[in-house]
Amino acid sequence: PNTITWSKTKLSGETTDSWANLNVSSTLDMDGDKGRVTSLVMFNNDLLCLQESGFAKILYNTRTQISTSDNIPIELGNSGKVDGKYYISNNTGSGNRGSVAEVPEGIYFIDGNVKSIFFFNGQLNNLTDTLGFHSWASTRLDNTGYKPSDFKGFKAFYDPVNKDIYYSNKDVCICYSELLRQFVSFYS
């Protein structure tokens, strides 16, 4: 549950579907002590991995400087493969895939272990603590996965028109405004 597997690049008009051809050597094992992989998301051309208690950047197509014979770097090369991982946090993550919201400015997610809503935009920010919502969050947030059949667990929704993020479950819906950078309302 903590291994990421990838396929070859799919090309238009190919006779064999590259996405169906998985190679056992095309895997990356995430740290097992951080729990299972719950979500893979893109932000600023970076592939990010959320685990139950870890948040990492997958190092893919990293660029390398190539030096000439006189040791002057002149160009960048592309490795074309996964080169490993870099943990942004060793103790912050998300056990609830439904709580992850990808927005143009970053990524929002609930970490049920520390009972907080986080925002990542290159830096990891604990919104519930910095905005005074810790008391509310500590009694309501957990790692219960969202299930549409019974509405247990929180589900994230993004409104691109108003730039609002909604976290909703069967009992409550809370709204965070990106424009105001503040929690603005509860809904029922």
Side-chain angles (χ1 to χ4, degrees), residues 98-185:
S99 77
V100 180
E102 297 176 60
V103 302
E105 291 80 17
I107 299 163
Y108 293 87
F109 61 91
I110 291 175
D111 184 337
N113 294 330
V114 296
K115 301 186 180 300
S116 293
I117 297 174
F118 284 87
F119 173 59
F120 178 76
N121 62 351
Q123 293 183 5
L124 194 57
N125 304 297
N126 184 331
L127 296 179
T128 49
D129 284 355
T130 57
L131 298 176
F133 250 65
H134 182 77
S135 178
W136 179 88
S138 66
T139 60
R140 290 171 180 85
L141 301 181
D142 59 24
N143 276 331
T144 302
Y146 174 74
K147 295 178 187 163
S149 59
D150 59 11
F151 297 103
K152 288 187 178 177
F154 277 88
K155 172 75 175 144
F157 300 94
Y158 177 60
D159 175 359
V161 174
N162 297 312
K163 294 193 172 201
D164 290 336
I165 293 90
Y166 298 92
Y167 278 102
S168 178
N169 70 5
K170 67 179 183 160
D171 299 319
V172 68
C173 178
I174 185 171
C175 177
Y176 175 82
S177 170
E178 284 195 304
L179 297 174
L180 299 175
R181 297 176 193 241
Q182 188 64 254
F183 292 101
V184 291
S185 189

Side-chain angles (χ1 to χ4, degrees), residues 70-123:
D70 56 1
N71 291 326
I72 298 173
I74 59 166
E75 61 183 271
L76 295 176
N78 190 329
S79 67
K81 62 180 179 177
V82 173
D83 298 319
K85 61 191 178 283
Y86 168 76
Y87 274 93
I88 296 164
S89 174
N90 288 309
N91 52 18
T92 299
S94 181
N96 177 2
R97 164 185 255 145
S99 77
V100 180
E102 297 176 60
V103 302
E105 291 80 17
I107 299 163
Y108 293 87
F109 61 91
I110 291 175
D111 184 337
N113 294 330
V114 296
K115 301 186 180 300
S116 293
I117 297 174
F118 284 87
F119 173 59
F120 178 76
N121 62 351
Q123 293 183 5

